Amino acid sequence: MNTSARRSPIALAILALLYEEPMHPYRMQQLIKERGKDLVVNVHQRASLYQTIDRLQRDGLIKVQETMRRERWPERTVYELTEDGRATTIRWLREMLATPAREFPEFPAAVAQLSLLAPEDVLRQLEKREARLAERIATLDEQVAPHASLPRVFLLEVEYIRVMLQAELDWVRSVTADLRTGRLTWSGIAGDGEEENE
């Protein structure tokens, strides 16, 4: 078994799709979008999909099943899982479910440096974030509504995303409330002449 292969959300998604059946990259991208998995896997940049496929092939987790060409369509390469790929898919899935990853998202990094700005500026930026978070939650709810009759197992990642967005929104609201009342304050370091980045 290849234990040196680097896992990632997109790599797991590709392996999981090929676990179902062999397919070409365009079909993979379409299925990820059709199933709403692009909420948790970034396939908007097709180049990252192809780069990951190349890496999985180099690591021996997938292989070419066939290359086909149909009228008016470009040549398409169909990939399938290797036995090592099947075992790795399950191993990665178990590891990713069981072990919290050390991820470094942008927002906490920005929060760690917010004392560079004046409290009033931070309040304005967090109010914008609050509105955008509320909008994302509403959009997510709209997208899920037509699929509410699906078994819960098919909507768990959307449920998780919504809970995390709501928790972030609640936290941002608590911070903005403290900024408004003056319970949270400091002296900003950045000069008043700094351009505000929209």
Side-chain angles (χ1 to χ4, degrees):
M1 182 185 296
N2 185 343
T3 56
S4 64
R6 185 172 48 87
R7 73 177 191 224
S8 68
I10 193 168
L12 179 65
I14 291 166
L15 294 177
L17 286 170
L18 294 177
Y19 209 90
E20 294 177 24
E21 64 180 336
M23 65 183 74
H24 52 78
Y26 180 75
R27 178 75 177 136
M28 292 177 203
Q29 185 182 34
Q30 292 308 109
L31 279 176
I32 288 169
K33 289 180 179 179
E34 285 172 19
R35 295 175 180 180
K37 306 305 181 192
D38 55 335
L39 288 171
V40 293
V41 177
N42 185 1
V43 291
H44 300 289
Q45 300 292 327
R46 195 174 297 172
S48 62
L49 179 74
Y50 284 99
Q51 289 168 355
T52 305
I53 288 169
D54 289 344
R55 183 170 48 82
L56 292 171
Q57 187 176 8
R58 278 194 314 273
D59 290 341
L61 303 179
I62 64 174
K63 64 182 180 181
V64 174
Q65 184 191 60
E66 66 175 317
T67 300
M68 57 185 189
R69 184 175 185 91
R70 292 190 183 147
E71 293 178 23
R72 300 181 322 207
W73 296 104
E75 188 176 85
R76 292 206 167 141
T77 302
V78 175
Y79 294 91
E80 65 182 349
L81 279 180
T82 62
E83 283 307 310
D84 198 13
R86 294 181 87 73
T88 299
T89 305
I90 300 304
R91 181 173 54 84
W92 281 1
L93 181 56
R94 287 177 174 150
E95 290 171 356
M96 291 167 87
L97 284 170
T99 309
R102 288 194 66 206
E103 298 169 325
F104 300 94
E106 288 182 353
F107 183 56
V111 169
Q113 308 305 326
L114 63 74
S115 64
L116 289 172
L117 301 175
E120 301 79 21
D121 192 1
V122 171
L123 176 60
R124 282 193 304 274
Q125 304 316 315
L126 290 180
E127 286 172 338
K128 291 177 189 177
R129 187 176 193 92
E130 182 180 334
R132 290 172 180 149
L133 286 168
E135 184 180 304
R136 283 182 66 188
I137 291 169
T139 300
L140 198 59
D141 289 346
E142 285 175 22
Q143 291 172 339
V144 170
H147 308 290
S149 61
L150 286 174
R152 186 176 178 212
V153 68
F154 296 115
L155 299 172
L156 284 174
E157 74 276 9
V158 177
E159 182 181 307
Y160 172 81
I161 290 168
R162 193 192 188 292
V163 166
M164 298 307 285
L165 287 170
Q166 187 63 55
E168 183 178 334
L169 178 58
D170 293 343
W171 183 83
V172 168
R173 284 178 173 160
S174 74
V175 173
T176 57
D178 287 348
L179 284 165
R180 282 187 199 101
T181 62
R183 283 191 301 263
L184 176 61
T185 192
W186 61 90
S187 296
I189 298 171
D192 291 337
E194 295 286 331
E195 290 279 331
E196 182 180 315
N197 187 2
E198 290 294 326

